[in-house]
Amino acid sequence: MTKKWINHKLLAIIAATTVLSVLLSTGAGAEPAGSDDADISAAAVKEPGALTTPPPPEHFITSFASFTYLNNCYASASLVNSTTVALKASTFAKQSVDKIGVDLTLQRWTGSAWVDMETRRFLDTGNSTISGEYNGTVITGYYYRAKAYHTVYQGSAFEQTTTYSPQVLAK
């Protein structure tokens, strides 16, 4: 072995050891997160009056370009008072269709999942639009939203999509 080859090998070992020691030492002196830390951080993100942390953000985008009959849809939820949420939804077809409908569901956030509370069905025949609305009874401290299942029937064709409103906190 040549002296030059040994020097290169020695430099490579030193460099590798230095990088490894830097990587391993980045956590030195850090304390592991305890359950108290998790409780503090969870409480820090709760809105005043909320019993759970807010649901994670979700982005739902429906492209109506692929539908033959469905033209547009929406769902909304708004707080009326501390125990009532107003739900609304509409389904729009590009033309009058055999049947057009929307199933409007009140959902509550449990802290880990959205659960259906109650559903109302709205159905019409021979029209291009249907809208439905109702007031749902809620419990203060929880997040709620509207889920709307939109349907169109024309001859043997069936089209459907689901939309969701932004959440509201009952307070």
Side-chain angles (χ1 to χ4, degrees):
M1 289 189 209
T2 66
K3 189 173 184 181
K4 186 176 181 182
W5 183 83
I6 292 173
N7 285 341
H8 285 291
K9 190 172 183 178
L10 184 60
L11 287 175
I13 291 172
I14 292 171
T17 305
T18 303
V19 169
L20 185 58
S21 67
V22 168
L23 291 174
L24 293 174
S25 68
T26 56
E31 294 181 26
S35 62
D36 291 340
D37 295 336
D39 293 341
I40 291 169
S41 63
V45 296
K46 283 186 189 175
E47 288 185 53
L51 298 175
T52 68
T53 56
E58 298 175 298
H59 303 286
F60 300 100
I61 299 173
T62 301
S63 171
F64 291 94
S66 63
F67 291 116
T68 302
Y69 300 102
L70 270 173
N71 188 40
N72 203 353
C73 306
Y74 84 90
S76 69
S78 58
L79 191 62
V80 174
N81 56 46
S82 63
T83 60
T84 307
V85 171
L87 304 176
K88 296 179 183 180
S90 291
T91 305
F92 302 95
K94 296 175 183 174
Q95 66 184 50
S96 292
V97 292
D98 293 340
K99 290 182 190 175
I100 188 167
V102 62
D103 292 354
L104 185 54
T105 301
L106 173 65
Q107 290 189 314
R108 179 172 68 201
W109 177 250
T110 64
S112 60
W114 287 104
V115 295
D116 293 353
M117 302 305 294
E118 62 180 315
T119 299
R120 303 276 171 89
R121 175 168 284 168
F122 303 90
L123 187 65
D124 202 356
T125 57
N127 282 316
S128 62
T129 303
I130 187 152
S131 294
E133 59 184 78
Y134 76 94
N135 289 344
T137 302
V138 297
I139 300 169
T140 303
Y142 287 98
Y143 292 91
Y144 293 88
R145 72 178 181 183
K147 175 178 88 171
Y149 177 68
H150 309 273
T151 55
V152 168
Y153 300 86
Q154 179 63 24
S156 61
F158 168 71
E159 295 178 347
Q160 61 82 30
T161 191
T162 303
T163 60
Y164 300 90
S165 71
Q167 77 256 1
V168 295
L169 174 61
K171 54 182 174 177

